[in-house]
Amino acid sequence: MKKGKSEEVVIKVSDVSKNFNVYYDKANTLKERVIFFHRNKMEVRKVLKHINLEIKKGETVALIGVNGSGKSTLLKLLTKIIYPNGGNIEINGKLTSLLELGAGFHPDFSGRENIYFNASIFGLNKAEIDRRIDDIIAFSELGEYIDNPIRTYSSGMYMRLAFAVAINVDADILLIDEVLAVGDQHFQEKCLNKMKELKSEGKTMVFVSHSMDAVKFLCDRAIWLYQGEIRKDGKTEKVIEEYLEECA
């Protein structure tokens, strides 16, 4: 049964800014610091500037923009991998993220062992993982490779397993970075169809992608980030149209 969007705000970003310190000719030893003290130059790079946005329960929102516009940084802030220099972020609901391939995987553990390890990070206990492991393995399509060490996996196999775990933890909010580009066409389509299914169930998703076709297929709303600021926020088709005109 399809569940529509509600008026409940599950993600609220208020006046959020994020800076990174970039060092040039940074000294690595005490001796270098003394001898080359004048070379230790630092630049404060403002990656996000006073971002304000709200995402309601059941919305599927795309973050688009050229590389370096702040999309992935914003997702990491939502996941609390990093923290803002200013502003506030409120999350209302159980959140899971797929930001970096193999995050939380141990290279010497098998795929099966890493399912238990990774799913426990998302808050599932052993009994819950036991009930879902067959579905996770089936979705990943890893077959006999599931009992091989993760270090023997290709990047595509990493992505298959990571995505299979992430979509089976029953989260209210799913954050997905540009990881689907690693998989083959068949698995990309499978993932997008699964995300469409989760959307129909009323899950909230924030999706970073450079694939405008995928964004159009999945998202009702798009937010265009440009040089750390929101350039446009609105209906997917309209935002993409303006974005592509700017990039042409």
Side-chain angles (χ1 to χ4, degrees):
M1 181 177 178
K2 185 172 182 178
K3 299 179 182 178
K5 298 187 291 292
S6 75
E7 293 303 309
E8 179 186 353
V9 174
V10 294
I11 298 175
K12 185 174 183 180
V13 179
S14 305
D15 198 31
V16 164
S17 296
K18 180 61 182 177
N19 305 330
F20 290 106
N21 296 332
V22 180
Y23 291 90
Y24 301 96
D25 298 323
K26 185 177 181 180
N28 295 313
T29 66
L30 178 59
K31 180 179 179 180
E32 289 177 348
R33 290 178 186 177
V34 173
I35 298 175
F36 304 116
F37 69 93
H38 59 287
R39 293 188 184 178
N40 193 18
K41 297 179 181 178
M42 183 193 75
E43 173 190 340
V44 177
R45 187 165 297 170
K46 297 180 179 180
V47 180
L48 292 173
K49 309 166 188 173
H50 306 290
I51 299 295
N52 291 281
L53 64 90
E54 291 184 352
I55 296 175
K56 296 178 181 178
K57 184 176 181 179
E59 277 195 296
T60 304
V61 180
L63 300 180
I64 65 173
V66 299
N67 289 331
S69 58
K71 306 182 301 298
S72 295
T73 298
L74 181 53
L75 278 196
K76 289 176 181 178
L77 288 169
L78 295 179
T79 317
K80 296 185 178 180
I81 294 175
I82 57 177
Y83 292 88
N85 295 97
N88 185 54
I89 296 174
E90 298 175 34
I91 304 290
N92 181 22
K94 182 181 178 181
L95 182 147
T96 185
S97 61
L98 189 54
L99 305 186
E100 296 179 5
L101 291 177
F105 286 168
H106 192 292
D108 294 324
F109 290 174
S110 69
R112 188 185 303 274
E113 290 169 328
N114 271 290
I115 290 173
Y116 281 90
F117 185 65
N118 199 231
S120 66
I121 293 174
F122 287 129
L124 299 186
N125 58 40
K126 185 178 183 301
E128 290 172 322
I129 302 170
D130 286 340
R131 289 196 297 270
R132 302 174 198 197
I133 191 165
D134 289 341
D135 291 336
I136 293 172
I137 295 172
F139 191 92
S140 73
E141 299 180 357
L142 289 175
E144 62 185 15
Y145 295 103
I146 197 65
D147 292 308
N148 290 357
I150 283 285
R151 56 182 162 76
T152 66
Y153 285 15
S154 67
S155 57
M157 294 166 74
Y158 262 76
M159 189 276 290
R160 287 171 180 249
L161 187 60
F163 190 91
V165 174
I167 56 140
N168 276 284
V169 298
D170 284 346
D172 304 308
I173 304 165
L174 186 61
L175 308 180
I176 302 177
D177 205 346
E178 185 75 78
V179 293
L180 301 184
V182 178
D184 56 39
Q185 185 66 29
H186 157 72
F187 199 73
Q188 286 182 37
E189 292 176 359
K190 182 176 181 178
C191 291
L192 286 171
N193 287 329
K194 181 62 179 180
M195 291 163 67
K196 194 84 168 180
E197 179 185 323
L198 293 173
K199 175 182 177 179
S200 70
E201 294 173 1
K203 304 295 185 183
T204 306
M205 284 180 280
V206 183
F207 179 45
V208 167
S209 181
H210 289 288
S211 169
M212 296 302 102
D213 288 337
V215 170
K216 289 177 183 177
F217 174 78
L218 186 66
C219 303
D220 302 315
R221 175 184 171 194
I223 298 173
W224 173 14
L225 288 175
Y226 179 75
Q227 295 184 354
E229 299 177 314
I230 294 177
R231 183 75 169 267
K232 188 78 175 181
D233 181 353
K235 294 290 185 181
T236 301
E237 294 281 350
K238 181 63 176 175
V239 174
I240 288 178
E241 179 183 351
E242 294 189 25
Y243 170 64
L244 293 178
E245 286 177 358
E246 180 80 14
C247 294

